[in-house]
Amino acid sequence: IFCRPDDPRVRRWGVMMDRLGSAGGGRAAAPALTAAAVAAAAATAAAACHLGSCSSPAWSVAALGAPRAGDLRPLGTSLRSDAPGRFSAAAAPPGADGAEPRASLGGGQGAAVLVGSLAAGLLAGAAESRRRRGGATARGAKKDKEKKQGTAYTDTVLLPQTAFDLRANATKREPEIQEFWASKNVYTQLREREAPMGRFSLHDGPPYANGSLHMGHALNKILKDAINKFKAMQGYKVKYIPGWDCHGLPIELKVLQNMKASERESLTPLQLRAKAASFARETVGEQRQSFERYGVWGEFDNPYLTLLPKYEAKQLGIFEEMVRGGHIYRGRKPVYWSPSTRTALAESELEYPEDHVSKSIYVSFRCTGEIPAALKDLVGSDALEVAIWTTTPWTIPANRAVAVNPILQYAVVKATFAETGTTRRMVVATDLVGALEGLLGMTTELVATFKGGVLEGLRYEHPITGVVTPVVMGGEYITTESGTGLVHTAPGHGADDFVVGMKYGLEVAAPVDAKGDFTDEVGLASLVGANVLKDANDKVIELLKERGTLLLVYPYKHKYPYDWRSKQPVIWRATPQWFASIDGLREKVLGAVNKVTFIPESYANRMRPMIEGRSDWCISRQRSWGVPIPAFYRKDNNEALLTPEIIRHVRDIVAERGTNAWYELSIGELLPEEYRADAELYEKGMDTMDVWFDSGSSWAYVEDEIGSPVDLYLEGQDQHRGWFQSSLITSVAVRGQAPYKAVMTHGFCVDENGRKMSKSIGNVIDPRDIIEGGKDLKKFPPYGADTLRLWVASVDYTGDVAISPEIMANIAKNAAMIRNRARFMLGNVFDFEPKSHAASFDSLPMLDRHIVCEAEAAFQEISESYNAYAFGKATKALIAFLQELSSLYFELAKDRLYISSPNSMRRRSCQSVLRWLAENLARVLGPVTCHMAEDIWQALPGTAADKGAESVFLAGWVTAYPGREGRVGSTNEGAEAYRNILKVRETCNLALEKVRKAGDLGLSFEARAHVAVASEGEAALSLRRSLEVVAASPHQDVDSLRWLLGVSQADTDASAPAPAAGELLAAEANEESGVTVSVARAAGTKCERCYIHCSTVGTLEAHKPLCARCAAVVDEWRAGQGQLQAA
């Protein structure tokens, strides 16, 4: 690039280098760009820019002295970054024509041959830069001199003063504020003080103590905390008891994953339980620290943990009552079984990925025996087959029937298969004949059609065992949406199959062990040991093919249940389990649901269908880490012994020793006295309770502290089939009522594209990165907890909520804006004492009364939104109000605050409003950005006694402006007039903007505005009346039109003529309001203290640069006066 010393690009680089030197030196003069520095820089530039490809003869210019060895590199080299701040030479690529570099600065040719020409250009540019800077310095010196001339009045301008930092410095300041809360026992004071509003109780749903927190935890806990803080500030007694789910497979798996295989094999149940308990407690400690760092308050020193003996005893008490009520039974039924974790699962422990692909099959079973008479009359006595479809070929060995829908229309078709040329007479649903022709590659001839009930009594030969098996009548679950309309029925491997099996007395066969392997019961040696999720499907398919019953195999993509912990498929498997009967409770549970308020309302019908269609709840699990089901089994026949008396006895032991006692004590010690004589006949059961029974019992543990039913349960939408439902069932079974009055639901956290957060996608966001800063600080600087909390309060939590670096950056801007507005308020009340300086509402200028009314409306909307838990709406209202406040009131207030006499009514009235606004801003921020709220409160001038409370959270909720008590929300003539005149300000701003763009004026104080209002029209007449009201205000130093418009002079068509044609700079009209604003240059000279253009500037000998208003203030200031007066 750099070919000649006169190349302008070379000069520009010299200018740039010189400026960089100047910038680095601050205000001090930068050292001159020396020849040696230029030489080194030029060599670097030469290397970096591949000067070897340059063929200019200008490089033969004489050198600038001898550089040091190593300063210059061979011409054909480039720079390579090895590490931050370090560079090394690397061979440059050959020229465009493939030739080697044509020149070299190494060796005997002398390093400086080439550099001199470049150096000359750089030095020329640097000299040019210094000349420019010299001129600029001279101009700056002149301005500095002018400023010094005006410093006589600097100390009379009342600029803001506050210790409230513009930057949150959250990583340092937030922990300090949390320490302040702890030192003052703020939460304890709130909890123990008199509560005029009564008690508010929010019961915490327990997260699993099995790992670090994620964004879902943050969303959930911050929502709960915001509600609790709001209720406490309103005057409710709030006691929040955080809880943790400490039992179950998630924790057991974590423990086992951290152990070697040899250690796992020798692990006893008690050893596993000890390790699991230790892991859970450690995780609880870590999660607690994170929750507290979020700013969440609660009984963290005394939480509820499901592993506590007292909690376990309460849970067993609920179980005892359910046994007494006849709601618990033991049966062999198909349940969701996870071969990967070898335990039964509840519906709430499943997830359903949509991309699961099953190897589905169509099979035709050959009918045998006598055809039922009704059917025989229709189709004759020729051979028949029944066609079925299944996505689980491995269940064919357990087939015990084919089910049909008695009211569906079926057909016997004579099917000819193109591929084989064979013909079969098959029974299929009439509506599916066409689809099956294309799918199976067959042509059909219709023999007869009939209702499904005609097929009852038909029998077929089992395709594996050859056993004669019946066709039975199923239910509404049999449709023509897919398959053949006939359903392969295996009572041991499906819920609907089981119901039909019970109806017809079918065998509940499930020849599969806990690992998912076929057992000897499968009936065929070649299948024993095959795994149903691995090779069993292929083996069964091969058998069907050999026996000529297989029609088609094809992959079928569909939703399929997976274990939500291991992320592996589950199966239906009949095993002996303990169940809670839902049938006996269903109507009571549905009745209780009808009395619950759902937030949002759209979730009101979500739980009801789940309960209506719910099967019995399998509450037993085949794990060690949990609350044991205190059942005993006879050794001779495996008959279960479980009575309320036995449970009560075990419960009392557990209350003292915990559930480890079940493993430590003998059967005789665990049985009540009346059963001990038969202790040798029994063995202990090793099943533990479903963790949803654990957490579903939490209401009983906390009811003595917070009551039952509580006011609110708040969790994610998945808990409608989880904790919300398990708590409801246990409470209705024992108490006859729901444990909650209201249920609030939030969505899941997703990325900006709506995708679920996943480590494999790489879109997971850690709350700690938002608070403390992530690895990439550009992506996630340390925003602090308040920004995270503001995100929670800004999103629509009723659906899935998005989060990303870009979203958080925008939230941070809003947080900074709020802080900026608070700082303006605080900085301008530094000398304000409410007791002696406050102005009552009726004495305020109209502008101030207007702002108070606007603030009341905003605070009212925020309060109502908080009451409805609509935090997004509250945040939106607050931000809109603060933006309006800044663009109008703060702009108009600056002259009053900075320029007026310290004790003037003009200034004190504004300070009165700002102090009231600051106090209430802190209050409404309290539930959400709690640290900022406290920071604002502590920065308010005065002692805790002056403020009324040592913490914003002890100060109550929003207060009315002094003199407005009982009148909040009422109309006020002055405020209404000002609201109307704001339309004039909007029109004036448009006219001023035209003038600025044209370059005719700079500051708005350089302008005069003339307001003309139409003589007709309701809006125009209303505006005229408002102008008259404002003109009559006794506070013309605040309320006059010129202050509202922000110009030096303002008049109306009622008081002055419009600017002449030669004076007019711009005009703007608003047809809707009937107003036209004309802008001209203001008369007079600019005052150097207030910038107002005034004819009195220059007329006062003592203060030539000042207007009469400022001169009076300065004289008063210097005389040490400061009486309350109008400026």
Side-chain angles (χ1 to χ4, degrees):
I1 296 173
F2 304 108
C3 297
R4 295 180 176 275
D6 58 349
D7 191 313
R9 291 169 292 184
V10 179
R11 286 176 176 268
R12 282 200 295 272
W13 199 30
V15 170
M16 179 190 71
M17 292 177 63
D18 191 72
R19 286 178 179 171
L20 287 173
S22 175
R27 293 197 176 202
L33 189 60
T34 64
V38 170
T44 302
C49 299
H50 301 293
L51 291 178
S53 63
C54 181
S55 59
S56 171
W59 295 118
S60 59
V61 179
L64 265 176
R68 295 171 299 171
D71 279 352
L72 305 179
R73 295 183 178 86
L75 190 57
T77 64
S78 62
L79 293 182
R80 176 181 72 240
S81 173
D82 292 328
R86 293 176 56 196
F87 294 87
S88 63
D97 57 358
E100 291 298 316
R102 290 182 287 274
S104 173
L105 290 183
Q109 293 193 19
V113 173
L114 180 62
V115 173
S117 184
L118 177 58
L122 290 172
L123 286 172
E128 181 182 342
S129 173
R130 286 194 291 276
R131 283 196 301 275
R132 292 176 183 172
R133 197 166 65 247
T137 302
R139 290 192 296 272
K142 182 179 179 181
K143 288 187 177 180
D144 287 345
K145 185 176 180 181
E146 292 173 355
K147 287 182 180 179
K148 287 180 181 178
Q149 191 176 4
T151 54
Y153 305 111
T154 301
D155 59 350
T156 69
V157 178
L158 299 170
L159 296 176
Q161 300 176 30
T162 180
F164 185 78
D165 203 330
L166 183 59
R167 294 182 179 275
N169 195 16
T171 55
K172 178 177 181 292
R173 184 62 180 143
E174 287 178 350
E176 291 174 350
I177 291 171
Q178 291 178 1
E179 289 178 8
F180 167 79
W181 289 331
S183 68
K184 299 296 182 181
N185 294 313
V186 175
Y187 168 72
T188 304
Q189 288 190 59
L190 280 171
R191 187 191 64 200
E192 295 180 353
R193 71 179 181 179
E194 289 297 319
M197 301 294 289
R199 180 167 67 183
F200 175 80
S201 52
L202 188 160
H203 180 35
D204 185 38
Y208 276 123
N210 69 325
S212 300
L213 301 180
H214 52 66
M215 287 305 304
H217 291 112
L219 173 66
N220 178 263
K221 281 297 191 289
I222 291 171
L223 276 173
K224 291 174 180 175
D225 188 64
I227 292 171
N228 281 333
K229 283 188 168 77
F230 169 62
K231 291 295 185 179
M233 294 177 77
Q234 277 193 310
Y236 289 90
K237 184 182 289 293
V238 176
K239 186 174 187 178
Y240 177 64
I241 305 175
W244 275 271
D245 211 335
C246 300
H247 287 139
L249 189 58
I251 294 166
E252 191 171 325
L253 286 177
K254 284 282 187 179
V255 171
L256 294 173
Q257 287 168 2
N258 294 328
M259 299 177 67
K260 296 178 182 178
S262 57
E263 294 175 324
R264 290 197 294 267
E265 290 175 2
S266 61
L267 198 64
T268 67
L270 276 173
Q271 290 172 333
L272 173 60
R273 289 172 61 85
K275 289 180 179 292
S278 176
F279 176 86
R281 288 184 180 277
E282 182 180 340
T283 305
V284 166
E286 293 172 358
Q287 291 187 2
R288 168 190 170 168
Q289 288 181 354
S290 295
F291 288 143
E292 290 184 302
R293 181 63 185 89
Y294 299 167
V296 176
W297 289 352
E299 306 290 316
F300 283 103
D301 290 332
N302 190 28
Y304 78 83
L305 309 179
T306 60
L307 57 70
L308 295 174
K310 180 181 176 183
Y311 187 101
E312 294 170 330
K314 283 283 187 182
Q315 180 176 334
L316 285 170
I318 291 175
F319 186 64
E320 173 192 345
E321 292 303 315
M322 292 183 72
V323 169
R324 181 174 283 109
H327 303 303
I328 303 296
Y329 71 93
R330 182 172 171 80
R332 189 171 185 270
K333 295 175 61 175
V335 295
Y336 286 115
W337 184 271
S338 174
S340 57
T341 53
R342 302 185 189 182
T343 187
L345 298 176
E347 172 67 33
S348 53
E349 296 173 292
L350 304 175
E351 58 187 17
Y352 290 83
E354 297 185 359
D355 57 352
H356 179 87
V357 178
S358 294
K359 189 173 287 188
S360 72
I361 58 172
Y362 283 85
V363 184
S364 187
F365 298 160
R366 299 184 184 94
C367 294
T368 186
E370 188 70 21
I371 297 176
L375 180 60
K376 187 175 181 180
D377 290 342
L378 294 170
V379 302
S381 58
D382 291 345
L384 285 178
E385 298 181 11
V386 288
I388 62 97
W389 172 70
T390 181
T391 59
T392 53
W394 64 267
T395 60
I396 293 292
N399 173 272
R400 294 298 180 267
V402 166
V404 298
N405 189 326
I407 63 174
L408 279 184
Q409 193 77 8
Y410 288 86
V412 170
V413 295
K414 183 177 181 181
T416 302
F417 293 84
E419 185 175 344
T420 61
T422 57
T423 300
R424 301 171 186 260
R425 289 211 319 162
M426 299 192 305
V427 180
V428 295
T430 304
D431 291 346
L432 291 169
V433 171
L436 290 171
E437 283 181 331
L439 188 65
L440 300 179
M442 65 182 188
T443 58
T444 62
E445 177 185 335
L446 184 64
V447 177
T449 61
F450 44 84
K451 292 287 186 181
V454 174
L455 294 169
E456 190 161 20
L458 187 65
R459 295 179 176 275
Y460 63 92
E461 183 181 304
H462 193 288
I464 301 293
T465 64
V467 173
V468 176
T469 311
V471 172
V472 299
M473 298 299 106
E476 294 180 354
Y477 66 92
I478 303 173
T479 69
T480 57
E481 291 180 2
S482 59
T484 66
L486 295 89
V487 176
H488 146 61
T489 301
H493 294 301
D496 292 326
D497 301 38
F498 178 80
V499 172
V500 171
M502 293 299 97
K503 177 181 176 181
Y504 285 91
L506 303 177
E507 178 191 8
V508 183
V512 179
D513 66 14
K515 296 180 293 182
D517 294 342
F518 276 137
T519 65
D520 292 337
E521 295 174 1
V522 73
L524 204 62
S526 62
L527 294 179
V528 175
N531 187 274
V532 299
L533 295 176
K534 295 176 182 177
D535 57 339
N537 279 335
D538 290 335
K539 290 190 174 185
V540 170
I541 289 171
E542 190 60 32
L543 279 171
L544 295 173
K545 188 183 298 183
E546 290 173 1
R547 300 183 184 194
T549 61
L550 183 67
L551 299 178
L552 179 69
V553 180
Y554 81 103
Y556 180 68
K557 186 177 180 180
H558 62 129
K559 288 184 178 181
Y560 189 87
Y562 275 59
D563 185 332
W564 72 338
R565 300 180 184 96
S566 66
K567 308 301 180 184
Q568 296 298 313
V570 302
I571 62 173
W572 279 98
R573 175 176 178 247
T575 59
Q577 301 288 343
W578 289 97
F579 295 88
S581 174
I582 302 302
D583 285 339
L585 291 169
R586 200 180 312 274
E587 291 306 314
K588 290 182 179 179
V589 172
L590 289 171
V593 169
N594 290 337
K595 299 176 182 178
V596 175
T597 300
F598 288 88
I599 306 167
E601 291 183 8
S602 57
Y603 281 90
N605 294 322
R606 187 181 180 96
M607 193 185 295
R608 170 173 281 276
M610 293 180 179
I611 296 168
E612 288 174 340
R614 177 166 186 161
S615 59
D616 289 349
W617 176 11
C618 178
I619 62 170
S620 52
R621 295 293 181 270
Q622 289 65 53
R623 312 304 303 181
S624 297
W625 179 229
V627 175
I629 293 177
F632 299 87
Y633 302 91
R634 284 189 66 98
K635 296 175 181 178
D636 56 355
N637 59 13
N638 205 36
E639 182 181 338
L641 176 64
L642 180 68
T643 66
E645 294 74 25
I646 290 175
I647 300 171
R648 177 170 292 248
H649 180 72
V650 173
R651 185 196 70 182
D652 293 341
I653 294 173
V654 167
E656 293 183 9
R657 302 184 52 167
T659 50
N660 276 351
W662 182 258
Y663 302 88
E664 295 168 339
L665 300 182
S666 66
I667 295 175
E669 293 171 301
L670 292 170
L671 283 169
E673 187 173 351
E674 59 267 32
Y675 293 95
R676 285 177 188 165
D678 295 329
E680 291 299 322
L681 301 177
Y682 290 93
E683 58 185 7
K684 288 184 282 188
M686 301 306 289
D687 288 346
T688 55
M689 288 191 195
D690 177 16
V691 290
W692 291 112
F693 201 102
D694 286 25
S695 59
S697 305
S698 60
W699 58 266
Y701 183 81
V702 300
E703 67 177 338
D704 291 341
E705 299 288 335
I706 63 175
S708 183
V710 298
D711 293 294
L712 186 65
Y713 270 37
L714 194 175
E715 300 298 332
Q717 61 189 25
D718 56 328
Q719 296 308 314
H720 279 267
R721 65 188 181 107
W723 187 57
F724 293 158
Q725 203 171 133
S726 64
S727 300
L728 179 67
I729 292 169
T730 56
S731 181
V732 169
V734 174
R735 294 282 190 269
Q737 63 179 11
Y740 37 69
K741 299 173 185 175
V743 165
M744 179 172 163
T745 307
H746 63 75
F748 298 124
C749 293
V750 297
D751 66 13
E752 68 273 25
N753 298 313
R755 297 176 302 177
K756 182 180 178 181
M757 293 199 167
S758 167
K759 290 181 179 179
S760 60
I761 297 176
N763 63 348
V764 174
I765 294 175
D766 190 331
R768 289 175 297 188
D769 289 347
I770 294 174
I771 295 174
E772 305 297 340
K775 293 180 180 179
D776 184 351
L777 292 179
K778 289 184 179 179
K779 195 174 181 180
F780 279 121
Y783 289 125
D786 270 356
T787 303
L788 178 62
R789 293 176 69 97
L790 186 59
W791 167 76
V792 171
S794 300
V795 299
D796 179 7
Y797 65 80
T798 61
D800 288 347
V801 292
I803 186 166
S804 68
E806 293 74 19
I807 290 172
M808 288 310 304
N810 288 329
I811 296 293
K813 288 178 183 177
N814 284 337
M817 183 276 290
I818 296 171
R819 192 171 185 87
N820 176 278
R821 305 309 187 259
R823 191 168 188 265
F824 181 89
M825 298 177 199
L826 294 169
N828 284 294
V829 296
F830 65 90
D831 63 337
F832 180 80
E833 296 179 4
K835 292 181 180 178
S836 56
H837 295 151
S840 67
F841 180 81
D842 292 331
S843 68
L844 293 176
M846 290 182 182
L847 171 62
D848 294 338
R849 277 180 274 165
H850 164 71
I851 289 300
V852 169
C853 291
E854 290 294 300
E856 287 174 348
F859 293 147
Q860 180 69 22
E861 182 179 0
I862 292 167
S863 298
E864 290 174 356
S865 298
Y866 279 164
N867 264 322
Y869 308 138
F871 293 102
K873 185 178 178 182
T875 301
K876 185 177 180 180
L878 175 62
I879 290 174
F881 171 67
L882 290 177
Q883 288 173 335
E884 179 67 19
L885 192 68
S886 176
S887 63
L888 175 67
Y889 191 63
F890 288 0
E891 283 301 311
L892 298 181
K894 289 176 182 176
D895 185 90
R896 299 167 66 183
L897 296 167
Y898 303 164
I899 303 301
S900 303
S901 173
N903 286 326
S904 66
M905 178 61 182
R906 183 176 190 260
R907 183 166 181 268
R908 292 304 189 198
S909 62
C910 184
Q911 287 182 307
S912 298
V913 174
L914 289 178
R915 173 78 186 213
W916 175 76
L917 284 171
E919 291 179 357
N920 281 329
L921 175 63
R923 290 183 173 102
V924 298
L925 287 174
V928 177
T929 54
C930 51
H931 305 90
M932 189 194 304
E934 192 66 75
D935 212 3
I936 293 170
W937 192 262
Q938 297 308 317
L940 282 168
T943 63
D946 295 330
K947 303 173 195 177
E950 60 185 345
S951 167
V952 67
F953 295 100
L954 300 172
W957 193 236
V958 173
T959 59
Y961 187 90
R964 283 285 283 176
E965 295 85 353
R967 293 194 288 165
V968 174
S970 63
T971 57
N972 174 274
E973 184 184 29
E976 289 294 326
Y978 239 87
R979 189 175 293 112
N980 202 12
I981 291 178
L982 284 178
K983 301 170 185 175
V984 181
R985 177 179 169 86
E986 293 170 2
T987 306
C988 182
N989 285 341
L990 292 174
L992 289 170
E993 187 60 28
K994 287 182 179 179
V995 175
R996 289 193 191 95
K997 286 184 177 180
D1000 295 327
L1001 294 178
L1003 298 176
S1004 59
F1005 281 146
E1006 297 176 25
R1008 169 207 168 194
H1010 177 78
V1011 178
V1013 183
S1015 57
E1016 296 180 353
E1018 184 178 344
L1021 294 175
S1022 174
L1023 183 55
R1024 281 190 178 277
R1025 286 193 296 271
S1026 295
L1027 286 169
E1028 292 169 359
V1029 169
V1030 171
S1033 168
H1035 301 282
Q1036 287 300 298
D1037 53 357
V1038 174
D1039 292 331
S1040 70
L1041 193 57
R1042 75 181 180 103
W1043 291 116
L1044 174 64
L1045 301 183
V1047 296
S1048 288
Q1049 292 116 37
D1051 46 54
T1052 67
D1053 52 2
S1055 60
E1063 298 174 346
L1064 181 66
L1065 297 177
E1068 183 73 24
N1070 186 311
E1071 294 182 3
E1072 183 179 348
S1073 59
V1075 65
T1076 300
V1077 178
S1078 303
V1079 173
R1081 189 175 297 278
T1085 306
K1086 183 179 78 173
C1087 172
E1088 291 188 359
R1089 183 171 179 271
C1090 69
Y1091 290 9
I1092 296 291
H1093 286 244
C1094 180
S1095 59
T1096 63
V1097 176
T1099 64
L1100 303 172
E1101 200 61 38
H1103 304 291
K1104 285 282 187 182
L1106 304 187
C1107 63
R1109 180 183 70 132
C1110 285
V1113 173
V1114 168
D1115 286 342
E1116 179 185 338
W1117 176 275
R1118 290 181 176 169
Q1121 296 177 5
Q1123 301 301 315
L1124 187 64
Q1125 62 180 44

